[in-house]
Structure formats: structure tokens, C-alpha cells
């Protein structure tokens, strides 16, 4: 494979990953805003606390989307480590997202419903950049090339053994 076609393949893979990440993230943003505005409308919870509740709910739905859609082909060993890192980086994203909202609300007193939604959106944007980098780098790691080859070889070996085993069983049966 030429250097140019290898670069093209890597860029295509990154583009597909970004689209999948964006689809899951977009659904998460909808969940985040729906919960945020519902909690603000139905409760007396302060704006930043309502936002934290919404972010936590969206984070839970996003994990499912990232694990089973965006990064379903990534290493599935070490789920405890994966989930721990996901939660750690999600908390950092939560701080970024809600820090922007906090500064706008309590620092500048921009606390109308429209302003809250605008600054929440800006916070989500900044946190998303961090989350994309951290999830793909640390949480949902690619399978090492050697391990991927071993997995493929064992799959092929199992497939090759099945016909041989069936043939051996047929040879052992008495013929009429």
C-alpha cells in the first residue's frame, strides 16, 4: 500500500469515527437539553445543579452508544478499566461543560433560560472536544495489531477445524 493510500485509509477511518461519535453525541445532546429543561421547569433546582443532573443522564446514554456503536470494534477486555476511565474523563467533561455555565450564570449573571441554554451549548462543545480526544485515546483503545491478527487467526483456525472434525466423524461411522 502506498503512503498516499495509507494516509487516505486513515483519514477515511477517522471520518467514519467522527460521524459515529457525532451521531451518539448528538443524541446525547438532545437527552442533555431535554433533561436540563425538564428539571428546570419541574423543580426549583438551581441552574447548574439541573445541568449536572442532565449531564449525568446523558453520559449514561452516551456510554452505551459509544461502546456498542461508535467503538464496538475496539478492545472489549478490561471493561472495569474502560468504565472507570470513561467515568473519570466524563467527570472532567462535566466540569468543563458546567464550568462554562457556572461562570455565565454566577459570574456574569446571565441566567435567563435562553442564556442558560446558550452557555450550556457552548460548554457541551468544549467538553465534546476533550471527550473525543480522551475517549479515543484512553478509554476505547484500538486492538493492538498483533492481538487483532491472533484473534483473526484463531477465528479462521476454528472455522477450519469444524469441517475437519465433521469429516473425521463421518469417517468413523460404519458404512452400510
Amino acid at each position: 500500500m502506498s503512503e498516499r493510500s495509507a494516509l487516505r485509509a486513515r483519514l477515511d477511518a477517522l471520518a467514519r469515527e467522527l460521524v459515529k461519535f457525532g451521531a451518539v453525541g448528538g443524541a446525547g445532546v438532545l437527552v442533555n437539553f431535554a433533561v436540563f429543561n425538564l428539571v428546570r421547569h419541574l423543580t426549583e433546582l438551581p441552574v447548574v445543579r439541573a445541568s449536572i443532573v442532565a449531564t449525568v443522564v446523558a453520559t449514561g446514554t452516551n456510554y452505551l452508544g459509544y461502546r456498542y456503536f461508535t467503538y464496538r470494534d475496539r478492545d472489549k477486555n478490561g471493561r472495569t478499566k474502560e468504565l472507570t476511565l470513561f467515568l473519570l474523563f466524563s467527570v472532567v467533561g462535566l466540569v468543563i461543560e458546567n464550568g462554562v455555565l457556572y461562570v455565565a450564570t454566577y459570574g456574569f449573571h446571565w441566567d435567563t433560560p435562553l442564556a442558560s441554554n446558550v452557555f450550556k451549548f457552548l460548554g457541551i462543545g468544549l467538553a465534546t472536544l476533550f471527550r473525543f480526544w480522551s475517549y479515543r485515546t484512553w478509554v476505547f483503545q484500538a486492538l493492538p495489531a498483533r492481538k487483532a491478527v491472533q484473534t483473526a487467526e484463531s477465528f479462521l483456525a476454528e472455522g477450519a477445524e469444524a469441517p475437519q472434525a465433521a469429516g473425521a466423524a463421518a469417517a468413523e461411522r460404519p458404512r452400510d
Side-chain angles (χ1 to χ4, degrees):
M1 183 183 287
S2 74
E3 214 175 291
R4 187 177 186 151
S5 61
L7 176 61
R8 177 74 178 164
R10 288 178 55 202
L11 289 175
D12 287 345
L14 180 61
R16 283 191 302 279
E17 181 180 349
L18 280 168
V19 167
K20 289 179 179 181
F21 188 90
V24 171
V29 167
L30 292 176
V31 168
N32 199 326
F33 275 104
V35 172
F36 174 63
N37 287 294
L38 193 63
V39 169
R40 288 214 47 212
H41 180 72
L42 297 177
T43 70
E44 296 294 320
L45 214 54
V47 66
V48 175
R49 288 186 188 157
S51 180
I52 289 170
V53 169
T55 303
V56 168
V57 171
T59 298
T61 60
N62 283 358
Y63 176 76
L64 296 173
Y66 292 137
R67 166 42 53 216
Y68 296 105
F69 177 66
T70 305
Y71 298 113
R72 69 176 176 256
D73 60 334
R74 300 288 176 99
D75 191 1
K76 292 176 181 66
N77 296 326
R79 286 283 173 98
T80 302
K81 178 183 173 191
E82 174 186 289
L83 190 55
T84 302
L85 288 172
F86 180 83
L87 292 173
L88 173 72
F89 290 121
S90 293
V91 166
V92 173
L94 180 142
V95 170
I96 293 168
E97 175 183 332
N98 292 291
V100 171
L101 183 61
Y102 181 88
V103 168
T105 302
Y106 300 109
F108 295 104
H109 303 289
W110 295 330
D111 56 2
T112 66
L114 176 62
S116 294
N117 279 288
V118 167
F119 287 102
K120 181 161 182 60
F121 185 78
L122 289 174
I124 288 172
L126 291 173
T128 296
L129 294 173
F130 169 77
R131 287 178 179 128
F132 178 72
W133 169 79
S134 63
Y135 293 168
R136 78 183 309 264
T137 304
W138 300 101
V139 179
F140 302 106
Q141 295 182 346
L143 284 168
R146 184 172 21 123
K147 189 171 183 179
V149 169
Q150 289 171 342
T151 302
E153 287 173 346
S154 67
F155 175 76
L156 292 173
E158 288 172 12
E161 289 172 6
Q164 290 173 353
E172 290 176 8
R173 281 185 292 200
R175 295 189 183 196
D176 295 324

